[in-house]
Amino acid sequence: MPAVFLKDRSLLSVSGAEAQSFLQNLITTDIISLEAGEARPGALLTPQGKILFDFMIWQEGDGYTIETDAGQRDGLLKRLTMYKLRAAVTLAPRAEEGVTVSWGEGAVGVRDSQSVRDSQGVRDSRFAKAGVTLIRQPGKHGDGEEALYDALRIAHGIVTSGSDFALQDAFPHDVLMDFNGGLSFRKGCYVGQEVVSRMQHRGTARRRVVTVSAATALPETGTEISAAGKPVGTLGSVEGDHGLSIVRIDRAGAAMAAGTPLLAGETPVSLVLPPWSGLVFPTSADEASA
């Protein structure tokens, strides 16, 4: 069972009598349906519906733990504090630094084991959608190469901010939050909700996560993906001959239907939508994908 320590992850604690309602009315995740032992993705959006902060969130006793990139933690804490006003909520950074992720045969059913209950490990719902049991655990509990985790993310179309998209540049639909449990359309209003609900109901999402593969090593992160000289997307995380990208699937689909080569720089590539999303490439710019 690989166990990889992600040193650049940080934790926040959200507790108090009104912690649930505070978060439910603010972030994209449906907190009320969040099960014990489950970690879900989530985001705090701009009023224009773009991702301002992204994170994982899970229940912790009577409150919640938020796991985010270390570079986002202080900004996220400041923004949450701004929204808190007089709510009976306590916001605080947790002492643990970093998070360990483990997966594989040894992780199957681990949520129900006494060792994981004691260590507060939680199951990542994004990987569960892809049929992989991955456990997230605060602190350092392994020394596997981080490239192993990146390769697993890439294989299953799971993006991370910074490497795969810039904050304040992507909508939740762009990063498949409408499929991975991080975006609710059934709960009440939250910041940016009107915009993402409009995208959902009108079916206007065109930028989507794909896995990228090539017969040789892919070029570096940030390389443009194009078809007939027109931009389709940009390479994100790369491990050898596989990577991730957020692409215009209408343009990519039209290129595939026409037999036009897709290139990352000068390297021919193939694009595949994550099977767990259920998405397909449209064959013309007018088609919606679902």
Side-chain angles (χ1 to χ4, degrees):
M1 178 177 70
V4 176
F5 178 58
L6 307 177
K7 65 181 184 303
D8 294 326
R9 305 295 289 176
S10 289
L11 303 166
L12 292 173
S13 174
V14 183
S15 60
E18 296 179 327
Q20 183 183 84
S21 60
F22 170 71
L23 291 169
Q24 184 74 353
N25 295 326
L26 189 60
I27 68 174
T28 61
T29 317
D30 183 3
I31 296 299
I32 292 176
S33 67
L34 185 62
E35 297 181 356
E38 176 191 17
R40 283 187 194 169
L44 179 60
L45 306 181
T46 67
Q48 295 75 33
K50 292 191 174 183
I51 299 173
L52 183 60
F53 299 98
D54 69 325
F55 45 79
M56 300 296 296
I57 185 167
W58 61 85
Q59 292 183 25
E60 193 78 49
D62 294 330
Y64 300 88
T65 290
I66 293 176
E67 175 204 326
T68 190
D69 183 86
Q72 294 185 44
R73 189 186 70 175
D74 291 347
L76 177 57
L77 178 59
K78 183 177 180 180
R79 185 57 63 106
L80 291 174
T81 301
M82 182 185 77
Y83 283 114
K84 185 172 80 72
L85 300 177
R86 297 183 180 180
V89 174
T90 299
L91 304 166
R94 282 183 50 168
E96 300 97 327
E97 291 296 333
V99 168
T100 300
V101 291
S102 57
W103 66 95
E105 185 177 350
V108 174
V110 73
R111 187 183 70 177
D112 300 321
S113 70
Q114 185 63 46
S115 63
V116 171
R117 286 201 299 270
D118 292 343
S119 65
Q120 301 177 343
V122 289
R123 190 186 306 268
D124 189 325
S125 68
R126 301 172 303 171
F127 285 91
K129 295 281 186 182
V132 176
T133 298
L134 183 137
I135 303 301
R136 310 187 75 87
Q137 184 175 347
K140 186 173 183 178
H141 307 283
D143 55 6
E145 294 289 334
E146 191 165 340
L148 293 173
Y149 176 63
D150 287 336
L152 185 74
R153 285 195 307 103
I154 290 169
H156 295 290
I158 296 172
V159 294
T160 185
S161 61
S163 299
D164 298 306
F165 66 95
L167 296 173
Q168 302 189 57
D169 186 55
F171 291 102
H173 286 78
D174 297 348
V175 299
L176 303 182
M177 289 183 69
D178 50 329
F179 291 103
N180 68 14
L183 186 61
S184 174
F185 299 103
R186 295 185 177 182
K187 68 175 187 171
C189 293
Y190 51 87
V191 178
Q193 180 263 347
E194 182 178 349
V195 176
V196 296
S197 291
R198 189 183 308 125
M199 290 182 69
Q200 179 73 9
H201 295 307
R202 293 182 179 178
T204 56
R206 289 291 180 269
R207 297 176 72 225
R208 293 293 194 172
V209 175
V210 297
T211 56
V212 184
S213 60
T216 59
L218 287 168
E220 64 183 2
T221 296
T223 300
E224 183 179 86
I225 298 175
S226 62
K230 297 180 180 180
V232 172
T234 303
L235 269 179
S237 299
V238 171
E239 284 293 334
D241 57 0
H242 286 76
L244 292 173
S245 181
I246 297 173
V247 304
R248 282 282 302 263
I249 59 171
D250 54 339
R251 295 178 182 176
M256 293 177 188
T260 303
L262 290 158
L263 303 174
E266 300 298 323
T267 304
V269 295
S270 297
L271 308 181
V272 177
L273 287 156
W276 55 265
S277 72
L279 290 166
V280 297
F281 287 104
T283 55
S284 75
D286 295 329
E287 283 188 291
S289 57

